[in-house]
Amino acid sequence: MSDQSSAPVAAHEPPYYAVVFTSVRTEGDNGYGETAERMEELVKEIPGFLGMDSARTPGGLGITVGYFRDAEAIEEWRGDMEHRAAQKQGRESWYEGYTVHVARVERSYGFRRGQG
Amino acid sequence: MSDQSSAPVAAHEPPYYAVVFTSVRTEGDNGYGETAERMEELVKEIPGFLGMDSARTPGGLGITVGYFRDAEAIEEWRGDMEHRAAQKQGRESWYEGYTVHVARVERSYGFRRGQG
């Protein structure tokens, strides 16, 4: 991997959870970047948080996938007051639209070049 | 939504499946673009295919999420011979690394600006 920061989160031992967040942003930053960084820090403190993948096509769709050990870890993240405030701000100003899919991972696998 | 082509796939009635494919590309196209387009056409022919979201940060991570009605639909897509050939080519030349998470969606919801 030439750039370790862009390596995708590896497969964990199932079962675990994936929370898929797909979104289209409104124009302008409006404080989004700062809050997004803060949320990235905050979610790492949740026991059972396994990692996060994020990608955004410029001017297009963004996808963030958070991985959690179990449904309890997701509930804790859902209930976090700072996270709830950020979600409200998201609906008020940052997103044209989004979809959330909460899913239980049943099977996972991966490939890394040079590892067979 | 200002650009309908970039609107995320809407929440479906659970249960359904999400196949999360996260990847980092190698340098250059090497025939990837053409095959990716062909795969997008082909997967639409699978009964039970519900839609697909895709995003890639330039020079960074790509995430594609395919949604399927049930595990049988995923098996059919997994077994497609053209898809299998594309996967082989992916490991040979297009990807530095990837991870696949096959997950059963238990809950989903969405937000669209101007719809309450």
Side-chain angles (χ1 to χ4, degrees), chain A residues 16 95 98 101 112-113, chain B residues 16 95 98 101 112-113:
Chain A
Y16 57 97
Y95 297 113
Y98 62 74
H101 312 263
R112 296 291 175 270
R113 185 160 300 281
Chain B
Y16 56 96
Y95 297 113
Y98 61 75
H101 311 264
R112 297 292 175 270
R113 186 161 298 282

Side-chain angles (χ1 to χ4, degrees), chain A residues 6 9 16-17 24 56-57 91 95-102 104 106-109 111-113, chain B residues 6 9 16-17 24 56-57 91 95-102 104 106-109 111-113:
Chain A
S6 69
V9 171
Y16 57 97
Y17 277 81
V24 174
R56 180 170 298 277
T57 301
R91 286 186 297 271
Y95 297 113
E96 283 296 339
Y98 62 74
T99 308
V100 179
H101 312 263
V102 180
R104 186 176 186 272
E106 297 183 345
R107 187 171 75 239
S108 58
Y109 52 93
F111 162 78
R112 296 291 175 270
R113 185 160 300 281
Chain B
S6 68
V9 171
Y16 56 96
Y17 277 80
V24 174
R56 181 170 297 276
T57 300
R91 286 186 296 271
Y95 297 113
E96 283 295 339
Y98 61 75
T99 309
V100 180
H101 311 264
V102 180
R104 186 174 186 273
E106 297 182 346
R107 186 171 78 240
S108 60
Y109 51 94
F111 163 79
R112 297 292 175 270
R113 186 161 298 282

